[in-house]
Amino acid sequence: MIVEANTVRFDSISLDSGATLAPVDVAYETYGRLNASKSNAILVLHAFSGDAHAAGISHEKGKTGWWDNMIGPGKAFDTNKYFMICSNVLGGCRGTTGPGSVNPATGRAYAMSFPVITIGDMVRVQRMLIDWFGIPRLLSVTGGSMGGMQALEWAVSYPDRVVSAIPIACTTRHSAQQIAFNEVGRQAIMADPDWNNGDYYGGKPPARGLAVARMVGHITFMSDDSMREKFGRRLRGKETFGFDFDVDFEVESYLRYRGSEFVTRFDANSYLYITKAMDYFDLTNGHGSLAAAFERTEARFLAISFSSDWLYPSYQSQEIVRALRARNCDVAYVELESNYGHDAFLVDVAEQTDLIRGFLASTVEKAP
Amino acid sequence: MSAQPARKQAFVRELLGRSDYAIIGDIVEPGARVLDLGCGEGELLEWLAQNKGVEARGVEISGAKVQRAIARGVSVYQGDIDQGLADYPDGAFDYVILSQTLQETHRPRKVLHEMLRVGRRAIVAFPNFGHWRVRLSMLVSGGAPRTKLFPYEWYESPNIHFLTVLDFEALAAVEGLVVERRYFLAGRRKVTLLPNLLAEVAVFLVSAGRLS
């Protein structure tokens, strides 16, 4: 299916930091059809480096969506049944207002004058979009990694707007380790002279710093097993070591490729702002405890984690589930066996398809 | 015609191929909140949800089984029964079911206590180690008994706490549990006489005593 990207503009938004942002553009795509009672809408929330193009083939570039194997006719999120919505997050660089957008007050890119944003702010913008669609309640909110964090934020902040939530490979708050990896990425960007305190728009972007940040990211997305399987100690295009600092190993070549490819599609300042939002995220904020955060939640939950995911380990998903059980909420949870590490939520399609299809069907059955 | 109902009464119908399920299906009233421990692929919970409109939840340790349960729309949590109930608030359920699993738990006494903390009533079904075939098997072979009900080699058996009908009654008495109903089965046949000798499977409906 060929899909069109759309943009809607909202006048302004008040942010958790106290700042106001005006106006706010939101890039989104939809798949499937909204039914007459507007009861079949599912909001898909993308991960850190994702965008609104979750499924189908994009109209301009012919690119396949990042969760195309899960969204479409007959797939886990069956577009013959459900109306799927995906939007680029606030602070992003793929059509929604972010640090690379032009500040109407100055006529120049916001750069570091862009206000620091939170996961809560991202979700507030998404709620404006859902209001704009006139959808009273979402049948489900779902996503992996940072997308799962947004799904949780939805269930806690707007409990009367969410029938179910499917948080995948995520957490209620970043651990020291997760913050640490994000900080390494940020420092790599800011250490690049081309970063120029964020003021590089129209000039040379901090490509080297951003590429290094992405290389670190890709290490955390894989597992020891999957790296051994994929690369081992194989050399890249040579029989013996080069005895220099060019690429020797396959894994080096892969990381360099991933890094340089990322630079062509992602803005370094968005990297700073979005990772900061993830690090600030703590579902217990303003609630005291996790169970208290879920106090008003009536949603059904399906939580999924992956055995080899050490970036968002299963214990973090289990914390979500335990808090929901303490509230006697309707929650299903499984840890899927996988070698793919954190990447599994994008790769292990068959198992997730069975789970999500069954969960959504029973959610429709139980819905009032 | 007249003889048939009388003969039928001696038999329990089967639910999903199991007589203990049929008994559980009869006990649980419509709309109840039910937690099934060791729920496998969630067949019983699915049946109870569809036919009795219960609010169904399950706990199962096998990831593959949890996957199939969720795929059929049942809310199942992957976890260990021995530890897994602590999160639930008191009285969260009307019935907590433990079907053919008590003998596999590490701390059966604690599991029973937890069941009656989170549930108003517990339904416990277990294979009776006091059945005459088990006794005979051990007497004749001199080795760990192997029967239709206990088919495993001792080193492969998931059963780590063998118990009989008498043992359960004794534990219930010591713990001050109230046995509200008891059912004994040999295959699909109801056992009324000498249950500890003749029953292959026992199903107990228990509630916490007034003191606890």
Side-chain angles (χ1 to χ4, degrees):
Chain A
M1 69 187 164
I2 305 290
V3 294
E4 298 262 5
N6 306 282
T7 306
V8 58
R9 173 165 289 189
F10 298 106
D11 291 340
S12 75
I13 180 183
S14 303
L15 302 170
D16 280 341
S17 66
T20 302
L21 196 61
V24 180
D25 289 333
V26 180
Y28 70 91
E29 291 186 10
T30 66
Y31 324 102
R33 254 200 208 131
L34 187 60
N35 63 12
S37 59
K38 298 189 172 183
S39 62
N40 68 334
I42 297 176
L43 181 63
V44 177
L45 305 151
H46 69 72
F48 166 66
S49 65
D51 56 25
H53 183 41
I57 311 292
S58 67
H59 185 67
E60 341 71 270
K61 288 186 179 164
K63 208 175 154 237
T64 305
W66 57 268
W67 225 11
D68 186 66
N69 48 19
M70 295 286 286
I71 303 169
K75 297 179 185 173
F77 297 98
D78 188 346
T79 47
N80 291 327
K81 294 178 184 164
Y82 309 117
F83 178 63
M84 310 296 298
I85 307 167
C86 185
S87 65
N88 186 212
V89 294
L90 183 67
C93 50
R94 309 280 296 167
T96 294
T97 299
S101 305
V102 172
N103 180 354
T106 63
R108 301 185 64 224
Y110 281 103
M112 299 314 281
S113 73
F114 194 74
V116 169
I117 45 145
T118 64
I119 298 287
D121 293 329
M122 295 176 184
V123 166
R124 206 165 293 128
V125 169
Q126 290 153 5
R127 203 216 59 212
M128 291 159 79
L129 180 66
I130 298 310
D131 286 346
W132 181 76
F133 272 108
I135 294 165
R137 291 180 89 199
L138 290 162
L139 180 65
S140 200
V141 288
T142 183
S145 201
M146 188 182 83
M149 291 152 74
Q150 295 165 68
L152 294 171
E153 178 72 28
W154 260 97
V156 166
S157 290
Y158 307 111
D160 50 345
R161 303 292 297 273
V162 173
V163 180
S164 74
I166 310 176
I168 304 170
C170 68
T171 182
T172 62
R173 56 179 159 191
H174 264 186
S175 65
Q177 190 187 55
Q178 288 158 330
I179 295 169
F181 279 117
N182 276 349
E183 176 61 2
V184 170
R186 286 190 292 263
Q187 288 299 331
I189 290 167
M190 294 190 284
D192 186 333
D194 291 336
W195 179 60
N196 193 29
N197 290 311
D199 190 11
Y200 53 80
Y201 297 103
K204 203 172 157 211
R208 288 164 297 169
L210 182 58
V212 171
R214 189 56 173 174
M215 288 167 82
V216 174
H218 268 284
I219 299 168
T220 65
F221 303 157
M222 290 186 276
S223 69
D224 187 25
D225 273 350
S226 67
M227 287 181 104
R228 187 163 38 224
E229 222 167 81
K230 196 166 180 169
F231 315 110
R233 286 181 55 84
R234 275 199 318 280
L235 300 180
R236 174 75 182 177
K238 53 177 78 167
E239 299 291 314
T240 54
F241 296 151
F243 292 97
D244 56 25
F245 292 92
D246 237 347
V247 166
D248 279 316
F249 296 97
E250 279 282 1
V251 66
E252 294 171 331
S253 163
Y254 174 83
L255 290 177
R256 288 189 190 195
Y257 165 74
R258 284 297 188 173
S260 60
E261 179 261 352
F262 189 63
V263 170
T264 65
R265 67 177 175 92
F266 211 82
D267 177 33
N269 285 339
S270 278
Y271 193 110
L272 303 181
Y273 278 90
I274 298 176
T275 54
K276 187 56 96 173
M278 292 165 82
D279 291 347
Y280 278 178
F281 179 64
D282 183 346
L283 209 54
T284 64
N285 270 350
H287 298 282
S289 72
L290 213 45
F294 287 122
E295 186 72 38
R296 296 193 303 129
T297 291
E298 298 293 328
R300 297 185 82 205
F301 285 80
L302 168 61
I304 301 172
S305 66
F306 297 91
S307 57
S308 57
D309 184 350
W310 57 274
L311 184 58
Y312 290 87
S314 289
Y315 81 83
Q316 294 189 322
S317 287
Q318 285 159 7
E319 269 171 16
I320 301 167
V321 176
R322 295 185 60 174
L324 287 166
R325 278 170 22 131
R327 283 266 302 111
N328 210 11
C329 290
D330 185 346
V331 53
Y333 164 72
V334 67
E335 177 193 71
L336 293 175
E337 289 294 328
S338 175
N339 276 339
Y340 289 109
H342 188 54
D343 269 339
F345 86 91
L346 295 168
V347 182
D348 283 348
V349 171
E351 295 84 351
Q352 290 185 93
T353 296
D354 289 345
L355 294 173
I356 289 170
R357 189 182 282 147
F359 177 78
L360 288 177
S362 58
T363 300
V364 171
E365 249 171 60
K366 287 184 186 181
Chain B
M1 283 289 280
S2 58
Q4 249 188 355
R7 204 189 314 152
K8 256 192 173 169
Q9 268 183 4
F11 288 90
V12 176
R13 64 187 176 80
E14 285 186 345
L15 178 61
L16 308 166
R18 282 174 57 170
S19 297
D20 57 337
Y21 279 1
I23 289 170
I24 294 168
D26 284 342
I27 292 173
V28 173
E29 61 256 14
R33 300 163 300 163
V34 177
L35 175 67
D36 187 359
L37 303 177
C39 65
E41 297 179 13
E43 304 96 324
L44 177 63
L45 285 172
E46 185 187 34
W47 188 91
L48 288 170
Q50 283 174 356
N51 294 279
K52 293 246 174 163
V54 306
E55 214 178 288
R57 308 269 193 277
V59 178
E60 169 61 46
I61 196 160
S62 152
K65 288 179 180 172
V66 174
Q67 269 174 258
R68 285 193 280 274
I70 296 173
R72 67 172 67 196
V74 182
S75 293
V76 173
Y77 167 80
Q78 184 181 10
D80 181 351
I81 302 169
D82 275 297
Q83 291 145 16
L85 298 189
D87 303 321
Y88 285 115
D90 294 357
F93 298 97
D94 297 308
Y95 293 97
V96 180
I97 298 168
L98 187 65
S99 183
Q100 315 263 356
T101 311
L102 186 62
Q103 76 282 358
E104 297 180 14
T105 60
H106 285 271
R107 299 169 69 190
R109 214 170 125 230
K110 190 186 165 213
V111 169
L112 275 175
H113 272 277
E114 278 290 277
M115 289 173 75
L116 287 170
R117 180 185 67 78
V118 305
R120 288 197 301 123
R121 291 190 172 86
I123 303 174
V124 183
F126 60 88
N128 174 30
F129 202 64
H131 187 265
W132 64 268
R133 272 206 201 88
V134 180
R135 303 188 197 192
L136 189 66
S137 166
M138 190 154 183
L139 190 69
V140 171
S141 75
R146 288 181 63 188
T147 68
K148 185 175 56 132
L149 266 182
F150 298 95
Y152 310 101
E153 290 288 358
W154 64 270
Y155 46 82
E156 279 168 343
S157 177
N159 303 320
I160 53 174
H161 282 110
F162 294 105
L163 75 162
T164 69
V165 169
L166 284 185
D167 291 327
F168 189 86
E169 297 270 12
L171 180 67
V174 169
E175 300 288 324
L177 309 181
V178 178
V179 176
E180 297 189 5
R181 285 190 238 166
R182 36 173 82 71
Y183 307 83
F184 304 110
L185 295 166
R188 288 178 56 205
R189 203 164 42 78
K190 270 188 186 170
V191 172
T192 44
L193 224 62
L194 301 172
N196 198 41
L197 194 64
L198 301 178
E200 293 172 342
V201 171
V203 183
F204 281 84
L205 174 66
V206 296
S207 56
R210 253 170 284 149
L211 289 175
S212 60

